[in-house]
Amino acid sequence: MSGCIVVPVRLFATLLILLSIALPAQAAPTPAYQARAEELLRLLTSPGDEAAYFSPLFLDVVPVDRWRAVAADLRAQHGKPLALGAVRQDSATAGQVEIRYERAMVGFTLVVAPQPPGRVVGLRIVGARTANDNMAKVMADIAALPGTTSFAVAALGDGPPQLREAHRADAAMAIGSSFKLTILAELARAVAAGERRWSDVIPLEAKSFSGRLLHWPDRAPMTLHSLATAMIAESDNSATDTLLLALGRDKVDAMLATTGHANPDLALPLLTTAEAFALKMPANADLRGRFTTASVDTRRALLREAAPRLTADKVDVGSVAEAPTAIEEVEWFASATDMIAQLDWLRIHGGDALPIMAIEPGIAPADAKRWAYLGYKGGSEPGVMAMNFLARRKDGQWRAISASWNNPAARLDEARLVALMTRALNLLSE
């Protein structure tokens, strides 16, 4: 998923520690450090001369094209860079720089080499503050996205979730890989019931068409915990399909009602990733037509009968990678309130599933750290994007946030929804 606004730099944390220990803090920047801060404003505004600004160490890890993509992403989220804000130098070579954009103030940690010409060896975005923002503005921007959107925020406590913000919260939406939370919920239930253990080992045998585990040996032994981690933190499709079939499709399907889905028949049976994308293939147009108009029981029968046509090797990834394909017919469907109910179920019953959900926060780490806990699972394919967060504020209050964006006519600018959800989460954390 695009939208990450952190520039990773090798040895960056070590450099910061060593450089900050080396010399006492000095609030006023030196002329050389101030000059690098001013040049950062220029580079964020338009590309050019990166090799003269960044050290080879930096560019080895973040090539020029990657840097320019990050700078463009910041402009897409926050508007044009307008001016240099505060510059604070914390040591001889490290400090903090603020850049004022049209819609936000963005903070950076900037580290320069001590040797002339003092090129930049470390740069990291540490947060963004959107000017004069509020939830009404965020919701209006979500509603204005092309296509259809759904968004909801709920306070979680002893009773049912209490909606605080809602835009088409009950509308059924395609949610992509967000359905993997249902598999995680069934695994958590089975562990709590003593039917499974996180340390149980099963073979990796339901290979799908993408993901890291696709390239692992067939039937490689995997713990349920390792598969769940790959499924949630990496959205690995092979891990997903292996878990879905190993836990039992009927049991996973039953978790939709257990976790509060208002209309399970709309989403059942839950497809493996291989089945879903095989059904989207042109060669399976006839099967897809029968599947989408059938009852749940007939759909189950069709999956059994057509199993040889619905394997990962039947998926031509290129045919579904560029444009939305049957996203209103073959997908995983839920509303924002359905997703919030599922997140609340996991909050209460998830146990060791909660740390798995927190591995990949879905937004920039600096923004994620505003929360005491932030669990996340999203999903995306051309025309579909969803983001779901289970969050605990530092005052102990829990929130669930869910957004979906569908457009069967065009690809989505995923960075826009990441930026909107980052704004929402920053406001809700306060």
Side-chain angles (χ1 to χ4, degrees):
M1 180 179 294
S2 62
C4 180
I5 58 169
V6 175
V7 182
V9 182
R10 186 187 306 140
L11 305 179
F12 181 67
T14 304
L15 279 170
L16 282 180
I17 293 170
L18 292 175
L19 293 170
S20 61
I21 291 174
L23 290 172
Q26 47 191 73
T30 63
Y33 193 88
Q34 179 73 25
R36 287 304 188 196
E38 292 171 358
E39 290 168 6
L40 175 61
L41 172 62
R42 177 183 57 79
L43 279 181
L44 289 166
T45 303
S46 60
D49 297 328
E50 286 87 356
Y53 184 76
F54 294 113
S55 73
L57 172 67
F58 184 97
L59 293 176
D60 282 348
V61 182
V62 187
V64 170
D65 287 348
R66 171 61 181 147
W67 159 254
R68 291 179 179 177
V70 171
D73 188 38
L74 285 169
R75 293 193 295 272
Q77 293 184 53
H78 306 303
K80 296 178 182 179
L82 299 178
L84 186 65
V87 179
R88 188 188 77 234
Q89 192 168 356
D90 299 320
S91 73
T93 53
Q96 305 289 318
V97 176
E98 289 187 336
I99 302 292
R100 182 164 62 86
Y101 284 73
E102 289 178 302
R103 297 187 294 273
M105 184 72 78
V106 181
F108 299 81
T109 296
L110 179 70
V111 182
V112 299
Q115 304 87 1
R119 291 192 177 98
V120 170
V121 296
L123 181 66
R124 192 174 185 87
I125 300 163
V126 294
R129 303 191 309 276
T130 302
N132 303 315
D133 207 7
N134 58 55
M135 285 302 299
K137 291 181 179 179
V138 172
M139 291 179 65
D141 288 346
I142 290 174
L145 293 171
T148 58
T149 54
S150 177
F151 174 77
V153 177
L156 309 179
D158 295 333
Q162 301 297 308
L163 283 185
R164 295 290 180 85
E165 310 285 351
H167 163 66
R168 300 183 70 249
D170 294 324
M173 303 286 289
I175 59 169
S177 287
S178 302
F179 89 98
K180 296 170 185 178
L181 286 172
T182 308
I183 302 174
L184 184 67
E186 167 54 22
L187 178 54
R189 184 211 63 77
V191 170
E195 301 167 13
R196 303 274 187 170
R197 295 175 300 175
W198 290 104
S199 58
D200 286 349
V201 175
I202 65 172
L204 175 67
E205 53 187 0
K207 292 287 192 71
S208 192
F209 57 90
S210 67
R212 176 173 56 92
L213 297 184
L214 170 62
H215 307 291
W216 281 39
D218 292 343
R219 299 187 60 80
M222 303 283 294
T223 67
L224 295 179
H225 191 279
S226 296
L227 287 167
T229 299
M231 175 179 70
I232 298 299
E234 303 173 28
S235 210
D236 189 284
N237 288 331
S238 296
T240 300
D241 291 359
T242 294
L243 274 176
L244 174 57
L245 298 179
L247 294 173
R249 196 196 305 261
D250 289 347
K251 288 186 175 181
V252 176
D253 284 356
M255 285 306 295
L256 280 184
T258 298
T259 59
H261 196 294
N263 186 11
D265 284 359
L266 179 68
L268 295 177
L270 287 175
L271 299 167
T272 67
T273 62
E275 290 168 341
F277 284 90
L279 277 169
K280 292 174 183 283
M281 294 296 101
N284 285 327
D286 62 321
L287 180 60
R288 182 169 67 249
R290 292 164 58 202
F291 183 86
T292 56
T293 58
S295 67
V296 173
D297 287 342
T298 302
R299 289 177 189 169
R300 295 187 195 281
L302 284 172
L303 291 181
R304 291 191 296 269
E305 294 167 9
R309 297 172 60 180
L310 300 177
T311 54
D313 61 309
K314 304 299 192 298
V315 178
D316 173 18
V317 177
S319 67
V320 294
E322 293 300 321
T325 305
I327 68 169
E328 297 175 305
E329 304 168 73
V330 178
E331 247 286 343
W332 301 273
F333 298 100
S335 69
T337 52
D338 293 333
M339 296 308 302
I340 283 173
Q342 189 165 84
L343 290 167
D344 194 35
W345 190 95
L346 283 162
R347 174 182 70 96
I348 298 167
H349 305 287
D352 288 337
L354 295 185
I356 293 174
M357 293 169 60
I359 294 172
E360 169 50 60
I363 61 173
D367 293 304
K369 288 178 181 177
R370 297 172 186 261
W371 296 87
Y373 169 86
L374 188 64
Y376 170 74
K377 185 71 191 86
S380 65
E381 64 173 277
V384 174
M385 186 173 181
M387 301 184 75
N388 306 282
F389 298 88
L390 176 63
R392 180 165 57 85
R393 296 192 335 188
K394 292 184 177 179
D395 64 4
Q397 295 186 43
W398 285 88
R399 297 288 184 268
I401 306 98
S402 179
S404 294
W405 180 13
N406 295 173
N407 189 348
R411 293 183 63 93
L412 308 180
D413 181 357
E414 295 181 356
R416 292 178 67 182
L417 188 59
V418 173
L420 288 166
M421 293 301 280
T422 300
R423 287 167 56 195
L425 285 159
N426 288 348
L427 290 166
L428 293 166
S429 71
E430 298 173 355

